[in-house]
Amino acid sequence: MQTELTTTASELTTAAATIAALDQTVVLNLHHTRATNTRKAQASDLRGFATFAASLGLDPEAPTTLARYLAHLDTKGSATATILRHAASIRACIPNTAHPAITAQLDGIRRGRVASGGNRQNQAPAIAPSELAAILRALPPTLAGLRNRALLLLGFAGAFREAELVAFTVADITPDPRGVLVTVQHSKTDQGGEGRVVAIPYGAEGACPVAALRAWLTAAAITSGPILRSVNRHGQVGSALTSHAVDGIIQAAAKAAGLTTRFTGHSLRAGLVTAAFNAGVQEADIMRLTGHKSVVTLRRYRRTVDAWQGNAA
């Protein structure tokens, strides 16, 4: 009998350990269903909501508290997309806030802004090829200048997002007789990490992304790891750039070229798509380059700068 009890206790202990391990795996899998940036944004949204509720002594689980918080964001002038994201984050974590009245309020916010003409989403201005050429001409012949040239040309030719650009490593670049093949390991529309390969062809002298990339890697003595890295004032190469740093680099380079438009990292992607539309490239071919899953989303990248192109009137 004692042996049987001992065996049973041992089996129960083993079973409990197995269940605990499986529970951890379940939590981990659920964690991975959301991208890192999504999790960070959701956490930030929840902190903002909690601070608002605490400042007014409101119950955060009451639907009326979320309704008031959305009204607060609306009166602050927050973008419609931002308000919708906050609502989605909060409703996903606080079940009681998933109330029909909240859905109606969100619809009212959208309709109200459409009626007032204030629902237009801010878009990064597209960098036209002529503007990119001007920026390239103004780059200094320094190590940072070589990096910036590689960043600008690679970002434009591949229509890459900032997060994709800063994530590239030497292992993601494969030489090819026609240029280089760049493997995008993860992207905004590829959360499963299936990846895609983008072909970057040779370009004209002075504006060749392949030559610019090679010149930067050689000058910075980069043979492995991240491609785009920081460079301090002493010309020393540091760690990988951040997406935020890409915006600053592009804005500073544009200013040095005498351009007043406030470009961002996304301006490279928008610029390539706009230029491709202007050149008559088929949507399917553009989507294969950019990784877009939706034609509707792709068409939003076609900026009004080309309004006269192919004008039906």
Side-chain angles (χ1 to χ4, degrees), residues 9-255:
S10 176
E11 290 175 347
L12 289 174
T13 300
T14 302
T18 301
I19 291 172
L22 291 174
D23 285 345
Q24 289 181 349
T25 302
V26 169
V27 172
L28 185 62
N29 289 339
L30 291 173
H31 180 74
H32 286 159
T33 60
R34 296 171 296 154
T36 300
N37 288 341
T38 300
R39 293 195 299 271
K40 289 181 179 178
Q42 187 177 67
S44 176
D45 296 343
L46 290 171
R47 284 194 299 271
F49 177 62
T51 300
F52 170 82
S55 67
L56 297 178
L58 299 173
D59 178 8
E61 295 190 4
T64 52
T65 301
L66 176 55
R68 289 164 177 160
Y69 182 59
L70 297 179
H72 167 69
L73 294 176
D74 188 21
T75 56
K76 278 179 54 181
S78 297
T80 304
T82 299
I83 295 175
L84 296 176
R85 193 198 71 214
H86 276 263
S89 297
I90 296 162
R91 297 173 84 179
C93 298
I94 307 177
N96 291 342
T97 57
H99 193 280
I102 300 300
T103 302
Q105 184 184 9
L106 291 170
D107 187 51
I109 290 173
R110 281 191 294 261
R111 290 175 180 272
R113 293 189 172 199
V114 169
S116 64
N119 198 47
R120 185 178 299 276
Q121 184 175 357
N122 292 330
Q123 294 181 316
I127 291 181
S130 58
E131 293 171 319
L132 178 60
I135 294 173
L136 293 174
R137 287 194 296 270
L139 291 177
T142 61
L143 188 59
L146 289 176
R147 180 209 53 200
N148 294 349
R149 179 177 295 274
L151 183 156
L152 288 161
L153 288 171
L154 184 63
F156 187 87
F160 296 122
R161 300 177 178 88
E162 301 100 306
E164 295 170 349
L165 269 174
V166 299
F168 288 140
T169 67
V170 174
D172 295 324
I173 308 299
T174 303
D176 185 274
R178 294 155 291 187
V180 294
L181 297 173
V182 181
T183 300
V184 182
Q185 302 289 356
H186 296 276
S187 70
K188 182 179 179 181
T189 56
D190 177 26
Q191 300 297 342
E194 295 180 7
R196 75 179 194 277
V197 177
V198 177
I200 305 296
Y202 289 106
E205 184 177 355
C208 175
V210 180
L213 178 61
R214 289 175 177 168
W216 155 246
L217 292 177
T218 299
I222 296 174
T223 58
S224 63
I227 288 176
L228 296 175
R229 308 187 188 191
S230 62
V231 178
N232 65 21
R233 59 178 180 169
H234 303 295
Q236 297 171 322
V237 179
S239 57
L241 292 177
T242 64
S243 297
H244 181 71
V246 171
D247 286 347
I249 288 170
I250 293 176
Q251 288 164 13
K255 183 178 181 180

